């Protein structure tokens, strides 16, 4: 509900280059800003090892909130929100930063193998903690400076909606 006016000198805006035909070079920018909503940063859910279900592949999961309806299966498209964490609790990715959900088609290789396994069987409204071992994630390669080699990944996942393949 708070609002304020921000005045930015050119060096804090587009400077000498401007922005196309919209903002001339060396322009002072004035913004009227109103805070409409605050979305807290996702947090890693607490868990104890004895609360986890362990699959044959080594993936571990905990159902945090039960869902309803038919379970997701290959070919379904799930509307979901997620946050990914390293074992030290640092978040490396999150769909929560986007105002709309992430759409994930199960069984198409759209994400790491641990995702397909961990999301399979979830229902609308369900929240799950996934603990994905390195061999079901990015393995020895890791991902640049974001995910180190041989990293176990932890994801919080919430299914918002589900559509069947032919809908």
């Amino acid at each position: 509900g708070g609002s304020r006016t921000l005045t930015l000198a050119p060096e804090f805006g587009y400077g000498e280059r401007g922005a196309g035909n919209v903002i001339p070079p060396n322009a002072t920018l004035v913004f009227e800003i109103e805070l409409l909503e605050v979305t807290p940063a996702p947090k890693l859910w607490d868990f104890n090892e004895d609360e986890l279900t362990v699959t044959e592949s080594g993936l571990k999961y905990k159902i945090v909130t039960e869902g309803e309806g038919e379970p997701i299966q290959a070919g379904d498209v799930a509307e979901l929100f997620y946050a990914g964490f390293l074992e030290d609790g640092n978040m490396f990715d999150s769909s929560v930063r986007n105002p709309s959900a992430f759409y994930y088609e199960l069984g198409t290789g759209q994400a790491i193998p641990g995702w397909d396994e961990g999301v399979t069987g979830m229902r609308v409204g369900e929240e799950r903690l996934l603990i994905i071992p390195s061999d079901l994630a990015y393995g020895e390669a890791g991902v640049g400076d974001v995910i180190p080699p041989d990293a176990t990944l932890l994801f919080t996942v919430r299914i918002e909606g589900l559509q069947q393949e032919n809908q």
Side-chain angles (χ1 to χ4, degrees):
S3 63
R4 65 179 46 159
T5 301
L6 301 179
T7 303
L8 303 179
E11 60 268 22
F12 296 110
Y14 293 96
E16 293 178 6
R17 72 177 189 276
N21 295 328
V22 179
I23 300 172
N26 298 312
T28 297
L29 304 176
V30 178
F31 293 93
E32 292 290 329
I33 302 203
E34 180 180 1
L35 181 61
L36 301 176
E37 181 179 355
V38 174
T39 303
K43 301 276 187 238
L44 183 59
W45 293 322
D46 292 329
F47 66 94
N48 294 317
E49 284 291 324
D50 60 341
E51 299 174 317
L52 301 174
T53 300
V54 182
T55 69
E56 215 171 281
S57 71
L59 179 129
K60 299 175 184 179
Y61 69 92
K62 173 186 173 183
I63 297 173
V64 177
T65 304
E66 295 281 343
E68 298 180 353
E70 294 297 314
I72 186 174
Q73 57 188 346
D76 289 340
V77 176
E79 176 186 3
L80 55 84
F81 288 96
Y82 71 89
F85 300 87
L86 299 173
E87 287 182 285
D88 64 6
N90 285 319
M91 185 173 59
F92 63 85
D93 190 20
S94 175
S95 66
V96 178
R97 294 179 181 139
N98 298 325
S100 61
F102 173 68
Y103 289 89
Y104 179 72
E105 186 172 356
L106 186 65
T108 61
Q110 184 180 350
I112 57 177
W115 256 77
D116 270 354
E117 183 179 349
V119 172
T120 296
M122 289 184 73
R123 301 168 190 270
V124 173
E126 186 168 322
E127 295 178 309
R128 217 177 249 197
L129 169 68
L130 305 178
I131 302 175
I132 302 175
S134 173
D135 61 324
L136 296 175
Y138 297 100
E140 294 176 1
V143 177
D145 294 336
V146 179
I147 299 173
D150 300 314
T152 295
L153 304 179
L154 295 88
F155 286 92
T156 59
V157 181
R158 183 178 76 243
I159 301 283
E160 291 292 313
L162 180 66
Q163 32 181 224
Q164 301 301 318
E165 182 179 28
N166 296 323
Q167 285 185 332

